[in-house]
Amino acid sequence: MRVLIVEDEEMLADSIAEGLRAEALAVDVAYDGETALERLGVNDYDVLVLDRDLPGVHGDHVARTVVESGSAVRVLMLTAAADVSSRVVGLSLGADDYLTKPFAFEELLARIHALGRRAHRADRPQLERSGIRLDQARREVYRDGHYVALARKEFAVLAELLKAGGAVVSAEELLEKAWDENADPFTNTVRVTMMRLRRKLGEPQVIETVQGVGYRIP
Protein backbone atom coordinates (compact mmCIF):
# COMPACT_ATOMS: atom_id res chain seq x y z
CA MET A 1 0.00 0.00 0.00
CA ARG A 2 1.26 3.50 -0.83
CA VAL A 3 0.34 6.39 1.44
CA LEU A 4 0.79 10.16 1.20
CA ILE A 5 1.06 12.06 4.49
CA VAL A 6 0.18 15.77 4.24
CA GLU A 7 0.95 17.56 7.49
CA ASP A 8 2.58 20.96 8.07
CA GLU A 9 3.96 19.96 11.48
CA GLU A 10 7.11 18.40 10.09
CA MET A 11 8.10 16.44 13.20
CA LEU A 12 4.64 14.89 13.38
CA ALA A 13 4.59 14.10 9.66
CA ASP A 14 8.03 12.48 9.79
CA SER A 15 7.09 10.51 12.91
CA ILE A 16 3.94 9.15 11.26
CA ALA A 17 5.87 8.25 8.12
CA GLU A 18 8.55 6.43 10.10
CA GLY A 19 5.92 4.42 11.96
CA LEU A 20 4.07 3.46 8.78
CA ARG A 21 7.27 2.44 7.02
CA ALA A 22 7.99 0.15 9.96
CA GLU A 23 4.67 -1.53 9.09
CA ALA A 24 5.85 -2.23 5.51
CA LEU A 25 3.91 0.63 3.88
CA ALA A 26 5.38 2.86 1.18
CA VAL A 27 5.08 6.44 2.42
CA ASP A 28 5.64 9.88 0.89
CA VAL A 29 5.39 13.12 2.85
CA ALA A 30 4.28 16.64 1.90
CA TYR A 31 4.39 19.56 4.33
CA ASP A 32 1.95 21.79 2.43
CA GLY A 33 -1.08 21.56 0.19
CA GLU A 34 0.67 22.70 -2.98
CA THR A 35 3.28 19.96 -2.76
CA ALA A 36 0.53 17.45 -1.96
CA LEU A 37 -1.36 18.32 -5.14
CA GLU A 38 1.82 17.98 -7.20
CA ARG A 39 2.50 14.50 -5.83
CA LEU A 40 -1.10 13.41 -6.18
CA GLY A 41 -0.89 14.40 -9.84
CA VAL A 42 2.15 12.20 -10.41
CA ASN A 43 1.76 9.16 -8.15
CA ASP A 44 -1.05 6.70 -7.52
CA TYR A 45 -1.75 6.54 -3.80
CA ASP A 46 -4.05 4.17 -1.97
CA VAL A 47 -4.58 6.41 1.07
CA LEU A 48 -4.13 10.15 1.65
CA VAL A 49 -3.68 11.21 5.28
CA LEU A 50 -4.56 14.90 5.09
CA ASP A 51 -4.26 17.59 7.74
CA ARG A 52 -7.23 19.87 7.24
CA ASP A 53 -5.66 23.05 8.63
CA LEU A 54 -2.82 23.53 6.17
CA PRO A 55 -1.34 26.99 5.51
CA GLY A 56 -1.53 28.33 1.96
CA VAL A 57 -3.45 25.73 0.01
CA HIS A 58 -5.96 24.57 2.62
CA GLY A 59 -6.64 20.89 3.26
CA ASP A 60 -10.26 21.44 2.23
CA HIS A 61 -9.09 22.50 -1.23
CA VAL A 62 -6.85 19.45 -1.51
CA ALA A 63 -9.73 17.14 -0.56
CA ARG A 64 -12.09 18.83 -3.00
CA THR A 65 -9.53 18.60 -5.81
CA VAL A 66 -8.99 14.89 -5.16
CA VAL A 67 -12.74 14.21 -5.34
CA GLU A 68 -13.24 16.28 -8.48
CA SER A 69 -10.34 14.51 -10.22
CA GLY A 70 -12.07 11.17 -9.85
CA SER A 71 -9.05 9.69 -8.06
CA ALA A 72 -9.55 6.36 -6.29
CA VAL A 73 -7.37 7.45 -3.34
CA ARG A 74 -9.11 7.20 0.04
CA VAL A 75 -8.87 10.31 2.22
CA LEU A 76 -8.32 10.25 5.98
CA MET A 77 -8.63 13.80 7.29
CA LEU A 78 -6.77 14.95 10.40
CA THR A 79 -7.71 18.00 12.44
CA ALA A 80 -7.36 19.48 15.90
CA ALA A 81 -11.06 20.42 15.81
CA ALA A 82 -13.13 17.77 17.57
CA ASP A 83 -16.59 19.35 17.23
CA VAL A 84 -19.26 17.62 15.19
CA SER A 85 -19.67 20.47 12.69
CA SER A 86 -15.99 20.27 11.69
CA ARG A 87 -16.26 16.52 11.11
CA VAL A 88 -19.40 17.01 9.05
CA VAL A 89 -17.71 19.61 6.85
CA GLY A 90 -14.67 17.41 6.32
CA LEU A 91 -16.77 14.41 5.35
CA SER A 92 -18.96 16.51 3.07
CA LEU A 93 -15.85 17.57 1.16
CA GLY A 94 -15.24 13.95 0.26
CA ALA A 95 -13.11 12.62 3.11
CA ASP A 96 -13.67 8.91 3.74
CA ASP A 97 -12.71 9.05 7.40
CA TYR A 98 -11.88 11.60 10.09
CA LEU A 99 -9.44 11.51 13.00
CA THR A 100 -8.93 14.23 15.59
CA LYS A 101 -5.60 15.20 17.13
CA PRO A 102 -4.10 13.98 19.35
CA PHE A 103 -4.53 10.39 18.26
CA ALA A 104 -2.97 7.01 18.97
CA PHE A 105 -0.71 5.72 16.20
CA GLU A 106 -2.34 2.28 16.47
CA GLU A 107 -5.74 3.80 15.63
CA LEU A 108 -4.31 5.74 12.70
CA LEU A 109 -2.70 2.57 11.36
CA ALA A 110 -5.95 0.59 11.72
CA ARG A 111 -7.91 3.28 9.88
CA ILE A 112 -5.35 3.42 7.06
CA HIS A 113 -5.54 -0.34 6.60
CA ALA A 114 -9.35 -0.18 6.61
CA LEU A 115 -9.31 2.52 3.92
CA GLY A 116 -6.76 0.56 1.92
CA ARG A 117 -9.11 -2.42 1.87
CA ARG A 118 -11.89 -0.18 0.63
CA ALA A 119 -9.63 1.17 -2.12
CA HIS A 120 -8.98 -2.40 -3.28
CA ARG A 121 -12.11 -4.43 -2.72
CA ALA A 122 -10.34 -7.63 -3.72
CA ASP A 123 -7.92 -7.29 -0.81
CA ARG A 124 -8.50 -9.64 2.08
CA PRO A 125 -6.89 -9.76 5.53
CA GLN A 126 -5.32 -13.08 4.49
CA LEU A 127 -3.93 -13.77 1.03
CA GLU A 128 -3.29 -17.35 -0.09
CA ARG A 129 -1.81 -18.88 -3.22
CA SER A 130 0.47 -21.78 -4.15
CA GLY A 131 0.96 -22.86 -0.54
CA ILE A 132 1.74 -19.36 0.69
CA ARG A 133 -0.46 -17.65 3.29
CA LEU A 134 0.12 -13.99 4.10
CA ASP A 135 -1.70 -12.38 7.03
CA GLN A 136 -1.77 -8.62 6.38
CA ALA A 137 -3.02 -7.72 9.86
CA ARG A 138 -0.41 -9.73 11.77
CA ARG A 139 2.31 -9.28 9.14
CA GLU A 140 2.99 -13.01 9.13
CA VAL A 141 3.85 -15.31 6.23
CA TYR A 142 3.63 -19.10 6.09
CA ARG A 143 4.64 -21.52 3.37
CA ASP A 144 3.05 -24.95 3.61
CA GLY A 145 2.27 -24.20 7.25
CA HIS A 146 5.83 -23.14 8.16
CA TYR A 147 6.49 -19.59 9.34
CA VAL A 148 8.73 -17.46 7.10
CA ALA A 149 10.41 -14.37 8.58
CA LEU A 150 10.50 -11.56 6.02
CA ALA A 151 11.92 -8.04 6.04
CA ARG A 152 9.48 -5.17 5.43
CA LYS A 153 10.11 -4.76 1.71
CA GLU A 154 10.08 -8.50 1.12
CA PHE A 155 6.69 -8.69 2.84
CA ALA A 156 5.36 -5.77 0.78
CA VAL A 157 6.55 -7.28 -2.50
CA LEU A 158 5.05 -10.67 -1.67
CA ALA A 159 1.74 -9.02 -0.76
CA GLU A 160 1.59 -7.27 -4.15
CA LEU A 161 2.33 -10.52 -5.99
CA LEU A 162 -0.40 -12.35 -4.07
CA LYS A 163 -2.91 -9.56 -4.65
CA ALA A 164 -2.33 -9.90 -8.39
CA GLY A 165 -3.98 -13.34 -8.32
CA GLY A 166 -1.55 -14.97 -10.72
CA ALA A 167 -1.17 -12.01 -13.06
CA VAL A 168 2.25 -10.61 -13.89
CA VAL A 169 3.45 -7.64 -11.82
CA SER A 170 6.16 -5.48 -13.37
CA ALA A 171 9.20 -4.18 -11.50
CA GLU A 172 7.86 -0.67 -12.06
CA GLU A 173 4.56 -1.58 -10.39
CA LEU A 174 6.41 -3.07 -7.43
CA LEU A 175 8.47 0.10 -7.07
CA GLU A 176 5.26 2.15 -7.17
CA LYS A 177 3.53 0.15 -4.43
CA ALA A 178 6.31 -1.13 -2.17
CA TRP A 179 8.75 1.78 -2.18
CA ASP A 180 8.35 5.55 -1.81
CA GLU A 181 9.29 8.40 -4.14
CA ASN A 182 12.94 8.27 -3.06
CA ALA A 183 13.43 4.89 -4.75
CA ASP A 184 15.66 5.07 -7.81
CA PRO A 185 13.86 3.36 -10.73
CA PHE A 186 17.21 2.61 -12.39
CA THR A 187 18.63 0.54 -9.52
CA ASN A 188 18.39 -3.23 -9.10
CA THR A 189 16.46 -2.84 -5.84
CA VAL A 190 13.52 -4.97 -6.97
CA ARG A 191 15.75 -7.72 -8.34
CA VAL A 192 17.80 -7.92 -5.13
CA THR A 193 14.67 -7.95 -2.96
CA MET A 194 13.19 -10.68 -5.15
CA MET A 195 16.33 -12.81 -4.79
CA ARG A 196 16.14 -12.57 -1.01
CA LEU A 197 12.42 -13.28 -0.99
CA ARG A 198 12.83 -16.37 -3.14
CA ARG A 199 15.63 -17.65 -0.93
CA LYS A 200 13.54 -17.24 2.22
CA LEU A 201 10.46 -18.88 0.69
CA GLY A 202 12.61 -21.90 -0.16
CA GLU A 203 12.29 -24.67 -2.71
CA PRO A 204 10.63 -25.35 -5.01
CA GLN A 205 10.66 -21.78 -6.29
CA VAL A 206 7.16 -20.29 -6.33
CA ILE A 207 7.84 -16.86 -7.87
CA GLU A 208 8.23 -16.96 -11.63
CA THR A 209 10.10 -14.41 -13.73
CA VAL A 210 8.34 -13.54 -16.98
CA GLN A 211 11.26 -12.34 -19.06
CA GLY A 212 11.01 -8.67 -19.97
CA VAL A 213 7.65 -8.31 -18.26
CA GLY A 214 7.83 -8.92 -14.51
CA TYR A 215 7.04 -11.48 -11.84
CA ARG A 216 4.12 -13.67 -10.84
CA ILE A 217 2.99 -16.42 -8.47
CA PRO A 218 1.08 -18.87 -10.72
Side-chain angles (χ1 to χ4, degrees):
M1 189 189 308
R2 189 165 183 180
V3 181
L4 175 62
I5 306 295
V6 186
E7 168 62 63
D8 64 313
E9 296 181 37
E10 296 188 15
M11 290 184 63
L12 175 59
D14 293 343
S15 176
I16 293 172
E18 182 179 355
L20 295 180
R21 287 169 183 149
E23 296 293 330
L25 302 184
V27 185
D28 295 336
V29 178
Y31 303 122
D32 58 75
E34 183 178 358
T35 303
L37 290 174
E38 291 175 357
R39 291 182 179 168
L40 286 162
V42 174
N43 302 309
D44 291 327
Y45 294 102
D46 300 293
V47 178
L48 168 63
V49 179
L50 176 64
D51 179 25
R52 186 181 178 199
D53 303 310
L54 295 172
V57 178
H58 197 273
D60 289 357
H61 177 73
V62 175
R64 190 180 298 109
T65 301
V66 166
V67 172
E68 292 175 351
S69 72
S71 171
V73 64
R74 299 294 181 173
V75 180
L76 171 58
M77 191 168 278
L78 303 177
T79 184
D83 58 280
V84 173
S85 61
S86 294
R87 294 199 296 272
V88 169
V89 171
L91 293 170
S92 67
L93 289 168
D96 298 282
D97 200 357
Y98 209 95
L99 189 59
T100 58
K101 301 176 184 178
F103 52 81
F105 176 78
E106 291 77 9
E107 181 179 4
L108 173 66
L109 178 63
R111 288 174 182 262
I112 288 173
H113 277 302
L115 290 176
R117 289 192 293 271
R118 288 170 59 187
H120 301 281
R121 295 185 181 275
D123 281 8
R124 302 174 302 280
Q126 292 193 4
L127 303 170
E128 296 188 46
R129 191 172 187 86
S130 300
I132 297 175
R133 176 165 59 86
L134 182 147
D135 189 317
Q136 298 189 89
R138 293 185 173 86
R139 289 194 63 237
E140 294 177 348
V141 173
Y142 295 85
R143 180 169 188 187
D144 298 326
H146 299 286
Y147 176 73
V148 181
L150 297 182
R152 291 178 299 176
K153 294 304 181 186
E154 296 160 358
F155 183 93
V157 166
L158 181 60
E160 293 303 323
L161 291 173
L162 290 172
K163 289 175 187 177
V168 177
V169 183
S170 69
E172 291 77 13
E173 290 172 311
L174 291 173
L175 274 173
E176 174 74 21
K177 292 296 183 183
W179 279 266
D180 57 31
E181 64 184 359
N182 296 315
D184 184 350
F186 299 105
T187 66
N188 61 353
T189 297
V190 173
R191 184 174 63 83
V192 171
T193 301
M194 196 66 67
M195 289 173 56
R196 292 173 178 167
L197 178 57
R198 282 171 163 155
R199 184 172 66 249
K200 291 183 178 181
L201 290 174
E203 298 291 342
Q205 292 291 313
V206 70
I207 302 174
E208 292 184 353
T209 298
V210 180
Q211 199 65 34
V213 182
Y215 308 91
R216 69 176 178 181
I217 297 178

